[in-house]
Amino acid sequence: MQTELSKKLGVEHAVFGFTPFPAVAAAISRAGGFGVLGAVRYTAPDDLKRDLDWIEAHVDGMPYGLDVVMPAKKVEAPENQTLTEADVEAMIPEGHRQFVQDTLAKHGVPELAAGEVSGWRITGWMEQVARSQLDVAFDYPIKLLANALGSPPADVVARAHDQDVLVAALAGSARHARKHQEGGIDIVVAQGYEAGGHTGEIASMVLTPEVVDAVDPLPVLAAGGIGSGQQVAAALALGAQGVWLGSLWLTTTEAELPSPKLIQKLLAAGSGDTVRSRSLTGKPARQLRTEWTDAWDDPDGPGTLPMPLQGLLVAEAVSRIQKYEVEPLLGTPVGQIVGRMTSERSVQAVFDDLTRGFERAVDRINRIAGRSVQ
């Protein structure tokens, strides 16, 4: 599964794997793909440094990258002023805080222990936090920097290029992709509607060739609804130079999901059991549909807040739901490919399945085209 881009980066397979788990990122790179560690959950630079040290020790010299979140649209600070986390917290309306407490109380979710701090903070949505992550990351031999919500600021792109780091950005439309190209981005990830996490409204089959045509000759990675080798072959046939996979790794044995019940929910879920909801971050993000997402999407509720307010608002609630495994509310970002995630497998086993499926798909097309199959 090699392309011009995978050869340029020195990887065997044009499979880019996004994950919040260092062990998964390292295993993806060892298996011949390109592991990309999601940095948004790292609130302290020392924590990111610790995990990048771990990846360096376990990646066997293979390349890897980092994914940060620097939203193009966000809550803005007054002129000449930087918003602190406390400033942002103060913007959250009391009615929204009460709605969270009422929803948790309705389902009997216990409080955290006295003095226990929420383990789920997403201050990484705040630009200054993402910049502190980059200050750490650029001390490591990362080969790719990806941004999930728009193009990174021009100075960040320039800084990456100065260190020979390629920059990727996710796009949900051809218009977004062209903006990335104008901003000096090296790789565009065309993320379809089916994808987990933040996603637009155009399906991958339509989006991928549109983006390929829009930004030619920039390389494009296809994302959203891809979980088999046949789908990888289809993405390359549409003009992509690789695939960007995220959801598929959640049920690998190397992943560190916080809840056995959550793993079982993922394994049991079908492709129709996800929903695009703003309940987690304030921007539309595909995730398991739960009574938590239903509550926030109810028109009689208070509605969600813009990023990063929503993430800060629900941080402790998400930690409590996960810690106590409150099944009706328990969820996670995941794409429609969850319907194929029916067993726990190692990252290497996933790659073995992808390569076999890819070979079968290529052989099938060769037969259709009247070419001999070796």
Side-chain angles (χ1 to χ4, degrees), residues 146-172:
N147 189 51
L149 291 172
S151 299
D155 68 296
V156 171
V157 175
R159 185 179 178 189
H161 287 166
D162 285 345
Q163 299 194 210
D164 295 323
V165 175
L166 296 180
V167 181
L170 277 65

mmCIF file with all atom_site columns, all heavy atoms in Angstrom, residues 146-172:
data_model
loop_
_atom_site.group_PDB
_atom_site.id
_atom_site.type_symbol
_atom_site.label_atom_id
_atom_site.label_alt_id
_atom_site.label_comp_id
_atom_site.label_asym_id
_atom_site.label_entity_id
_atom_site.label_seq_id
_atom_site.pdbx_PDB_ins_code
_atom_site.Cartn_x
_atom_site.Cartn_y
_atom_site.Cartn_z
_atom_site.occupancy
_atom_site.B_iso_or_equiv
_atom_site.pdbx_formal_charge
_atom_site.auth_seq_id
_atom_site.auth_comp_id
_atom_site.auth_asym_id
_atom_site.auth_atom_id
_atom_site.pdbx_PDB_model_num
ATOM 1   N N   . ALA A 1 146 ? -0.079  17.801 12.301 1.00 0.00 ? 146 ALA A N   1
ATOM 2   C CA  . ALA A 1 146 ? -1.433  17.902 11.766 1.00 0.00 ? 146 ALA A CA  1
ATOM 3   C C   . ALA A 1 146 ? -2.275  18.790 12.663 1.00 0.00 ? 146 ALA A C   1
ATOM 4   O O   . ALA A 1 146 ? -2.096  18.817 13.883 1.00 0.00 ? 146 ALA A O   1
ATOM 5   C CB  . ALA A 1 146 ? -2.071  16.512 11.661 1.00 0.00 ? 146 ALA A CB  1
ATOM 6   N N   . ASN A 1 147 ? -3.191  19.531 12.039 1.00 0.00 ? 147 ASN A N   1
ATOM 7   C CA  . ASN A 1 147 ? -4.134  20.358 12.792 1.00 0.00 ? 147 ASN A CA  1
ATOM 8   C C   . ASN A 1 147 ? -5.549  19.939 12.417 1.00 0.00 ? 147 ASN A C   1
ATOM 9   O O   . ASN A 1 147 ? -5.888  19.830 11.232 1.00 0.00 ? 147 ASN A O   1
ATOM 10  C CB  . ASN A 1 147 ? -3.932  21.847 12.497 1.00 0.00 ? 147 ASN A CB  1
ATOM 11  C CG  . ASN A 1 147 ? -4.746  22.723 13.438 1.00 0.00 ? 147 ASN A CG  1
ATOM 12  O OD1 . ASN A 1 147 ? -4.687  22.558 14.648 1.00 0.00 ? 147 ASN A OD1 1
ATOM 13  N ND2 . ASN A 1 147 ? -5.509  23.642 12.891 1.00 0.00 ? 147 ASN A ND2 1
ATOM 14  N N   . ALA A 1 148 ? -6.359  19.720 13.428 1.00 0.00 ? 148 ALA A N   1
ATOM 15  C CA  . ALA A 1 148 ? -7.666  19.124 13.192 1.00 0.00 ? 148 ALA A CA  1
ATOM 16  C C   . ALA A 1 148 ? -8.753  20.119 12.806 1.00 0.00 ? 148 ALA A C   1
ATOM 17  O O   . ALA A 1 148 ? -9.769  19.714 12.253 1.00 0.00 ? 148 ALA A O   1
ATOM 18  C CB  . ALA A 1 148 ? -8.103  18.357 14.444 1.00 0.00 ? 148 ALA A CB  1
ATOM 19  N N   . LEU A 1 149 ? -8.569  21.402 13.106 1.00 0.00 ? 149 LEU A N   1
ATOM 20  C CA  . LEU A 1 149 ? -9.651  22.367 12.882 1.00 0.00 ? 149 LEU A CA  1
ATOM 21  C C   . LEU A 1 149 ? -9.131  23.588 12.128 1.00 0.00 ? 149 LEU A C   1
ATOM 22  O O   . LEU A 1 149 ? -8.860  24.630 12.715 1.00 0.00 ? 149 LEU A O   1
ATOM 23  C CB  . LEU A 1 149 ? -10.284 22.784 14.218 1.00 0.00 ? 149 LEU A CB  1
ATOM 24  C CG  . LEU A 1 149 ? -11.086 21.696 14.926 1.00 0.00 ? 149 LEU A CG  1
ATOM 25  C CD1 . LEU A 1 149 ? -11.494 22.144 16.319 1.00 0.00 ? 149 LEU A CD1 1
ATOM 26  C CD2 . LEU A 1 149 ? -12.334 21.323 14.127 1.00 0.00 ? 149 LEU A CD2 1
ATOM 27  N N   . GLY A 1 150 ? -8.966  23.431 10.829 1.00 0.00 ? 150 GLY A N   1
ATOM 28  C CA  . GLY A 1 150 ? -8.482  24.539 10.024 1.00 0.00 ? 150 GLY A CA  1
ATOM 29  C C   . GLY A 1 150 ? -6.979  24.530 9.895  1.00 0.00 ? 150 GLY A C   1
ATOM 30  O O   . GLY A 1 150 ? -6.275  23.681 10.452 1.00 0.00 ? 150 GLY A O   1
ATOM 31  N N   . SER A 1 151 ? -6.456  25.491 9.129  1.00 0.00 ? 151 SER A N   1
ATOM 32  C CA  . SER A 1 151 ? -5.006  25.604 8.965  1.00 0.00 ? 151 SER A CA  1
ATOM 33  C C   . SER A 1 151 ? -4.390  26.182 10.233 1.00 0.00 ? 151 SER A C   1
ATOM 34  O O   . SER A 1 151 ? -4.964  27.079 10.855 1.00 0.00 ? 151 SER A O   1
ATOM 35  C CB  . SER A 1 151 ? -4.676  26.526 7.793  1.00 0.00 ? 151 SER A CB  1
ATOM 36  O OG  . SER A 1 151 ? -5.205  26.020 6.583  1.00 0.00 ? 151 SER A OG  1
ATOM 37  N N   . PRO A 1 152 ? -3.216  25.707 10.629 1.00 0.00 ? 152 PRO A N   1
ATOM 38  C CA  . PRO A 1 152 ? -2.530  26.338 11.749 1.00 0.00 ? 152 PRO A CA  1
ATOM 39  C C   . PRO A 1 152 ? -2.144  27.770 11.380 1.00 0.00 ? 152 PRO A C   1
ATOM 40  O O   . PRO A 1 152 ? -2.069  28.111 10.191 1.00 0.00 ? 152 PRO A O   1
ATOM 41  C CB  . PRO A 1 152 ? -1.280  25.473 11.932 1.00 0.00 ? 152 PRO A CB  1
ATOM 42  C CG  . PRO A 1 152 ? -1.506  24.240 11.137 1.00 0.00 ? 152 PRO A CG  1
ATOM 43  C CD  . PRO A 1 152 ? -2.453  24.596 10.043 1.00 0.00 ? 152 PRO A CD  1
ATOM 44  N N   . PRO A 1 153 ? -1.883  28.625 12.371 1.00 0.00 ? 153 PRO A N   1
ATOM 45  C CA  . PRO A 1 153 ? -1.411  29.977 12.067 1.00 0.00 ? 153 PRO A CA  1
ATOM 46  C C   . PRO A 1 153 ? -0.154  29.950 11.210 1.00 0.00 ? 153 PRO A C   1
ATOM 47  O O   . PRO A 1 153 ? 0.628   28.997 11.266 1.00 0.00 ? 153 PRO A O   1
ATOM 48  C CB  . PRO A 1 153 ? -1.131  30.565 13.458 1.00 0.00 ? 153 PRO A CB  1
ATOM 49  C CG  . PRO A 1 153 ? -2.012  29.787 14.386 1.00 0.00 ? 153 PRO A CG  1
ATOM 50  C CD  . PRO A 1 153 ? -2.070  28.402 13.817 1.00 0.00 ? 153 PRO A CD  1
ATOM 51  N N   . ALA A 1 154 ? 0.037   31.006 10.419 1.00 0.00 ? 154 ALA A N   1
ATOM 52  C CA  . ALA A 1 154 ? 1.146   31.056 9.465  1.00 0.00 ? 154 ALA A CA  1
ATOM 53  C C   . ALA A 1 154 ? 2.499   30.866 10.140 1.00 0.00 ? 154 ALA A C   1
ATOM 54  O O   . ALA A 1 154 ? 3.397   30.210 9.587  1.00 0.00 ? 154 ALA A O   1
ATOM 55  C CB  . ALA A 1 154 ? 1.116   32.382 8.702  1.00 0.00 ? 154 ALA A CB  1
ATOM 56  N N   . ASP A 1 155 ? 2.671   31.422 11.342 1.00 0.00 ? 155 ASP A N   1
ATOM 57  C CA  . ASP A 1 155 ? 3.969   31.284 11.998 1.00 0.00 ? 155 ASP A CA  1
ATOM 58  C C   . ASP A 1 155 ? 4.236   29.847 12.425 1.00 0.00 ? 155 ASP A C   1
ATOM 59  O O   . ASP A 1 155 ? 5.395   29.402 12.456 1.00 0.00 ? 155 ASP A O   1
ATOM 60  C CB  . ASP A 1 155 ? 4.060   32.230 13.208 1.00 0.00 ? 155 ASP A CB  1
ATOM 61  C CG  . ASP A 1 155 ? 3.117   31.832 14.330 1.00 0.00 ? 155 ASP A CG  1
ATOM 62  O OD1 . ASP A 1 155 ? 1.888   31.879 14.113 1.00 0.00 ? 155 ASP A OD1 1
ATOM 63  O OD2 . ASP A 1 155 ? 3.591   31.477 15.423 1.00 0.00 ? 155 ASP A OD2 1
ATOM 64  N N   . VAL A 1 156 ? 3.172   29.098 12.730 1.00 0.00 ? 156 VAL A N   1
ATOM 65  C CA  . VAL A 1 156 ? 3.341   27.692 13.097 1.00 0.00 ? 156 VAL A CA  1
ATOM 66  C C   . VAL A 1 156 ? 3.742   26.878 11.866 1.00 0.00 ? 156 VAL A C   1
ATOM 67  O O   . VAL A 1 156 ? 4.628   26.014 11.930 1.00 0.00 ? 156 VAL A O   1
ATOM 68  C CB  . VAL A 1 156 ? 2.042   27.136 13.718 1.00 0.00 ? 156 VAL A CB  1
ATOM 69  C CG1 . VAL A 1 156 ? 2.133   25.620 13.905 1.00 0.00 ? 156 VAL A CG1 1
ATOM 70  C CG2 . VAL A 1 156 ? 1.766   27.814 15.058 1.00 0.00 ? 156 VAL A CG2 1
ATOM 71  N N   . VAL A 1 157 ? 3.112   27.157 10.726 1.00 0.00 ? 157 VAL A N   1
ATOM 72  C CA  . VAL A 1 157 ? 3.466   26.472 9.482  1.00 0.00 ? 157 VAL A CA  1
ATOM 73  C C   . VAL A 1 157 ? 4.927   26.755 9.141  1.00 0.00 ? 157 VAL A C   1
ATOM 74  O O   . VAL A 1 157 ? 5.701   25.843 8.801  1.00 0.00 ? 157 VAL A O   1
ATOM 75  C CB  . VAL A 1 157 ? 2.544   26.920 8.328  1.00 0.00 ? 157 VAL A CB  1
ATOM 76  C CG1 . VAL A 1 157 ? 2.999   26.297 7.009  1.00 0.00 ? 157 VAL A CG1 1
ATOM 77  C CG2 . VAL A 1 157 ? 1.088   26.545 8.616  1.00 0.00 ? 157 VAL A CG2 1
ATOM 78  N N   . ALA A 1 158 ? 5.336   28.026 9.254  1.00 0.00 ? 158 ALA A N   1
ATOM 79  C CA  . ALA A 1 158 ? 6.710   28.398 8.941  1.00 0.00 ? 158 ALA A CA  1
ATOM 80  C C   . ALA A 1 158 ? 7.693   27.716 9.886  1.00 0.00 ? 158 ALA A C   1
ATOM 81  O O   . ALA A 1 158 ? 8.766   27.239 9.463  1.00 0.00 ? 158 ALA A O   1
ATOM 82  C CB  . ALA A 1 158 ? 6.870   29.912 9.011  1.00 0.00 ? 158 ALA A CB  1
ATOM 83  N N   . ARG A 1 159 ? 7.331   27.652 11.162 1.00 0.00 ? 159 ARG A N   1
ATOM 84  C CA  . ARG A 1 159 ? 8.212   27.014 12.140 1.00 0.00 ? 159 ARG A CA  1
ATOM 85  C C   . ARG A 1 159 ? 8.389   25.530 11.826 1.00 0.00 ? 159 ARG A C   1
ATOM 86  O O   . ARG A 1 159 ? 9.513   24.994 11.917 1.00 0.00 ? 159 ARG A O   1
ATOM 87  C CB  . ARG A 1 159 ? 7.629   27.197 13.542 1.00 0.00 ? 159 ARG A CB  1
ATOM 88  C CG  . ARG A 1 159 ? 8.510   26.685 14.668 1.00 0.00 ? 159 ARG A CG  1
ATOM 89  C CD  . ARG A 1 159 ? 7.844   26.941 16.004 1.00 0.00 ? 159 ARG A CD  1
ATOM 90  N NE  . ARG A 1 159 ? 8.634   26.424 17.104 1.00 0.00 ? 159 ARG A NE  1
ATOM 91  C CZ  . ARG A 1 159 ? 8.214   26.359 18.368 1.00 0.00 ? 159 ARG A CZ  1
ATOM 92  N NH1 . ARG A 1 159 ? 7.003   26.826 18.674 1.00 0.00 ? 159 ARG A NH1 1
ATOM 93  N NH2 . ARG A 1 159 ? 8.985   25.865 19.304 1.00 0.00 ? 159 ARG A NH2 1
ATOM 94  N N   . ALA A 1 160 ? 7.297   24.873 11.448 1.00 0.00 ? 160 ALA A N   1
ATOM 95  C CA  . ALA A 1 160 ? 7.387   23.457 11.087 1.00 0.00 ? 160 ALA A CA  1
ATOM 96  C C   . ALA A 1 160 ? 8.269   23.266 9.860  1.00 0.00 ? 160 ALA A C   1
ATOM 97  O O   . ALA A 1 160 ? 9.143   22.388 9.825  1.00 0.00 ? 160 ALA A O   1
ATOM 98  C CB  . ALA A 1 160 ? 5.991   22.905 10.839 1.00 0.00 ? 160 ALA A CB  1
ATOM 99  N N   . HIS A 1 161 ? 8.053   24.089 8.847  1.00 0.00 ? 161 HIS A N   1
ATOM 100 C CA  . HIS A 1 161 ? 8.842   23.956 7.625  1.00 0.00 ? 161 HIS A CA  1
ATOM 101 C C   . HIS A 1 161 ? 10.322  24.231 7.873  1.00 0.00 ? 161 HIS A C   1
ATOM 102 O O   . HIS A 1 161 ? 11.185  23.605 7.246  1.00 0.00 ? 161 HIS A O   1
ATOM 103 C CB  . HIS A 1 161 ? 8.283   24.899 6.555  1.00 0.00 ? 161 HIS A CB  1
ATOM 104 C CG  . HIS A 1 161 ? 6.979   24.438 5.989  1.00 0.00 ? 161 HIS A CG  1
ATOM 105 N ND1 . HIS A 1 161 ? 6.145   25.246 5.234  1.00 0.00 ? 161 HIS A ND1 1
ATOM 106 C CD2 . HIS A 1 161 ? 6.345   23.243 6.071  1.00 0.00 ? 161 HIS A CD2 1
ATOM 107 C CE1 . HIS A 1 161 ? 5.075   24.569 4.869  1.00 0.00 ? 161 HIS A CE1 1
ATOM 108 N NE2 . HIS A 1 161 ? 5.167   23.349 5.364  1.00 0.00 ? 161 HIS A NE2 1
ATOM 109 N N   . ASP A 1 162 ? 10.617  25.142 8.777  1.00 0.00 ? 162 ASP A N   1
ATOM 110 C CA  . ASP A 1 162 ? 12.016  25.419 9.118  1.00 0.00 ? 162 ASP A CA  1
ATOM 111 C C   . ASP A 1 162 ? 12.712  24.186 9.687  1.00 0.00 ? 162 ASP A C   1
ATOM 112 O O   . ASP A 1 162 ? 13.932  24.067 9.631  1.00 0.00 ? 162 ASP A O   1
ATOM 113 C CB  . ASP A 1 162 ? 12.101  26.573 10.123 1.00 0.00 ? 162 ASP A CB  1
ATOM 114 C CG  . ASP A 1 162 ? 11.835  27.937 9.487  1.00 0.00 ? 162 ASP A CG  1
ATOM 115 O OD1 . ASP A 1 162 ? 11.866  28.031 8.241  1.00 0.00 ? 162 ASP A OD1 1
ATOM 116 O OD2 . ASP A 1 162 ? 11.572  28.891 10.239 1.00 0.00 ? 162 ASP A OD2 1
ATOM 117 N N   . GLN A 1 163 ? 11.896  23.286 10.279 1.00 0.00 ? 163 GLN A N   1
ATOM 118 C CA  . GLN A 1 163 ? 12.459  22.070 10.870 1.00 0.00 ? 163 GLN A CA  1
ATOM 119 C C   . GLN A 1 163 ? 12.195  20.838 9.996  1.00 0.00 ? 163 GLN A C   1
ATOM 120 O O   . GLN A 1 163 ? 12.288  19.707 10.467 1.00 0.00 ? 163 GLN A O   1
ATOM 121 C CB  . GLN A 1 163 ? 11.889  21.871 12.276 1.00 0.00 ? 163 GLN A CB  1
ATOM 122 C CG  . GLN A 1 163 ? 12.241  23.025 13.197 1.00 0.00 ? 163 GLN A CG  1
ATOM 123 C CD  . GLN A 1 163 ? 12.010  22.733 14.674 1.00 0.00 ? 163 GLN A CD  1
ATOM 124 O OE1 . GLN A 1 163 ? 11.720  23.623 15.449 1.00 0.00 ? 163 GLN A OE1 1
ATOM 125 N NE2 . GLN A 1 163 ? 12.179  21.469 15.072 1.00 0.00 ? 163 GLN A NE2 1
ATOM 126 N N   . ASP A 1 164 ? 11.839  21.098 8.724  1.00 0.00 ? 164 ASP A N   1
ATOM 127 C CA  . ASP A 1 164 ? 11.587  20.012 7.767  1.00 0.00 ? 164 ASP A CA  1
ATOM 128 C C   . ASP A 1 164 ? 10.461  19.088 8.219  1.00 0.00 ? 164 ASP A C   1
ATOM 129 O O   . ASP A 1 164 ? 10.497  17.868 7.978  1.00 0.00 ? 164 ASP A O   1
ATOM 130 C CB  . ASP A 1 164 ? 12.862  19.192 7.513  1.00 0.00 ? 164 ASP A CB  1
ATOM 131 C CG  . ASP A 1 164 ? 13.945  20.012 6.823  1.00 0.00 ? 164 ASP A CG  1
ATOM 132 O OD1 . ASP A 1 164 ? 13.594  20.848 5.965  1.00 0.00 ? 164 ASP A OD1 1
ATOM 133 O OD2 . ASP A 1 164 ? 15.123  19.828 7.155  1.00 0.00 ? 164 ASP A OD2 1
ATOM 134 N N   . VAL A 1 165 ? 9.465   19.665 8.879  1.00 0.00 ? 165 VAL A N   1
ATOM 135 C CA  . VAL A 1 165 ? 8.276   18.928 9.296  1.00 0.00 ? 165 VAL A CA  1
ATOM 136 C C   . VAL A 1 165 ? 7.143   19.267 8.340  1.00 0.00 ? 165 VAL A C   1
ATOM 137 O O   . VAL A 1 165 ? 6.830   20.446 8.126  1.00 0.00 ? 165 VAL A O   1
ATOM 138 C CB  . VAL A 1 165 ? 7.880   19.295 10.744 1.00 0.00 ? 165 VAL A CB  1
ATOM 139 C CG1 . VAL A 1 165 ? 6.568   18.609 11.127 1.00 0.00 ? 165 VAL A CG1 1
ATOM 140 C CG2 . VAL A 1 165 ? 8.992   18.910 11.710 1.00 0.00 ? 165 VAL A CG2 1
ATOM 141 N N   . LEU A 1 166 ? 6.525   18.240 7.755  1.00 0.00 ? 166 LEU A N   1
ATOM 142 C CA  . LEU A 1 166 ? 5.375   18.466 6.887  1.00 0.00 ? 166 LEU A CA  1
ATOM 143 C C   . LEU A 1 166 ? 4.169   18.849 7.732  1.00 0.00 ? 166 LEU A C   1
ATOM 144 O O   . LEU A 1 166 ? 4.030   18.421 8.886  1.00 0.00 ? 166 LEU A O   1
ATOM 145 C CB  . LEU A 1 166 ? 5.056   17.209 6.077  1.00 0.00 ? 166 LEU A CB  1
ATOM 146 C CG  . LEU A 1 166 ? 6.122   16.747 5.082  1.00 0.00 ? 166 LEU A CG  1
ATOM 147 C CD1 . LEU A 1 166 ? 5.654   15.480 4.365  1.00 0.00 ? 166 LEU A CD1 1
ATOM 148 C CD2 . LEU A 1 166 ? 6.433   17.845 4.084  1.00 0.00 ? 166 LEU A CD2 1
ATOM 149 N N   . VAL A 1 167 ? 3.278   19.662 7.155  1.00 0.00 ? 167 VAL A N   1
ATOM 150 C CA  . VAL A 1 167 ? 2.087   20.126 7.865  1.00 0.00 ? 167 VAL A CA  1
ATOM 151 C C   . VAL A 1 167 ? 0.849   19.626 7.140  1.00 0.00 ? 167 VAL A C   1
ATOM 152 O O   . VAL A 1 167 ? 0.720   19.785 5.914  1.00 0.00 ? 167 VAL A O   1
ATOM 153 C CB  . VAL A 1 167 ? 2.053   21.664 7.967  1.00 0.00 ? 167 VAL A CB  1
ATOM 154 C CG1 . VAL A 1 167 ? 0.806   22.115 8.735  1.00 0.00 ? 167 VAL A CG1 1
ATOM 155 C CG2 . VAL A 1 167 ? 3.314   22.179 8.645  1.00 0.00 ? 167 VAL A CG2 1
ATOM 156 N N   . ALA A 1 168 ? -0.051  19.015 7.889  1.00 0.00 ? 168 ALA A N   1
ATOM 157 C CA  . ALA A 1 168 ? -1.322  18.522 7.350  1.00 0.00 ? 168 ALA A CA  1
ATOM 158 C C   . ALA A 1 168 ? -2.469  19.232 8.053  1.00 0.00 ? 168 ALA A C   1
ATOM 159 O O   . ALA A 1 168 ? -2.346  19.645 9.211  1.00 0.00 ? 168 ALA A O   1
ATOM 160 C CB  . ALA A 1 168 ? -1.448  17.009 7.542  1.00 0.00 ? 168 ALA A CB  1
ATOM 161 N N   . ALA A 1 169 ? -3.577  19.370 7.349  1.00 0.00 ? 169 ALA A N   1
ATOM 162 C CA  . ALA A 1 169 ? -4.779  19.949 7.949  1.00 0.00 ? 169 ALA A CA  1
ATOM 163 C C   . ALA A 1 169 ? -5.992  19.211 7.412  1.00 0.00 ? 169 ALA A C   1
ATOM 164 O O   . ALA A 1 169 ? -6.022  18.804 6.245  1.00 0.00 ? 169 ALA A O   1
ATOM 165 C CB  . ALA A 1 169 ? -4.881  21.442 7.633  1.00 0.00 ? 169 ALA A CB  1
ATOM 166 N N   . LEU A 1 170 ? -6.986  19.043 8.271  1.00 0.00 ? 170 LEU A N   1
ATOM 167 C CA  . LEU A 1 170 ? -8.204  18.340 7.886  1.00 0.00 ? 170 LEU A CA  1
ATOM 168 C C   . LEU A 1 170 ? -9.168  19.300 7.207  1.00 0.00 ? 170 LEU A C   1
ATOM 169 O O   . LEU A 1 170 ? -9.271  20.472 7.586  1.00 0.00 ? 170 LEU A O   1
ATOM 170 C CB  . LEU A 1 170 ? -8.871  17.709 9.103  1.00 0.00 ? 170 LEU A CB  1
ATOM 171 C CG  . LEU A 1 170 ? -8.315  16.337 9.529  1.00 0.00 ? 170 LEU A CG  1
ATOM 172 C CD1 . LEU A 1 170 ? -6.862  16.441 9.996  1.00 0.00 ? 170 LEU A CD1 1
ATOM 173 C CD2 . LEU A 1 170 ? -9.170  15.717 10.634 1.00 0.00 ? 170 LEU A CD2 1
ATOM 174 N N   . ALA A 1 171 ? -9.879  18.788 6.200  1.00 0.00 ? 171 ALA A N   1
ATOM 175 C CA  . ALA A 1 171 ? -10.835 19.597 5.455  1.00 0.00 ? 171 ALA A CA  1
ATOM 176 C C   . ALA A 1 171 ? -12.114 18.801 5.236  1.00 0.00 ? 171 ALA A C   1
ATOM 177 O O   . ALA A 1 171 ? -12.070 17.613 4.926  1.00 0.00 ? 171 ALA A O   1
ATOM 178 C CB  . ALA A 1 171 ? -10.251 20.017 4.108  1.00 0.00 ? 171 ALA A CB  1
ATOM 179 N N   . GLY A 1 172 ? -13.247 19.493 5.398  1.00 0.00 ? 172 GLY A N   1
ATOM 180 C CA  . GLY A 1 172 ? -14.539 18.858 5.172  1.00 0.00 ? 172 GLY A CA  1
ATOM 181 C C   . GLY A 1 172 ? -15.199 19.294 3.885  1.00 0.00 ? 172 GLY A C   1
ATOM 182 O O   . GLY A 1 172 ? -16.320 18.875 3.580  1.00 0.00 ? 172 GLY A O   1
#
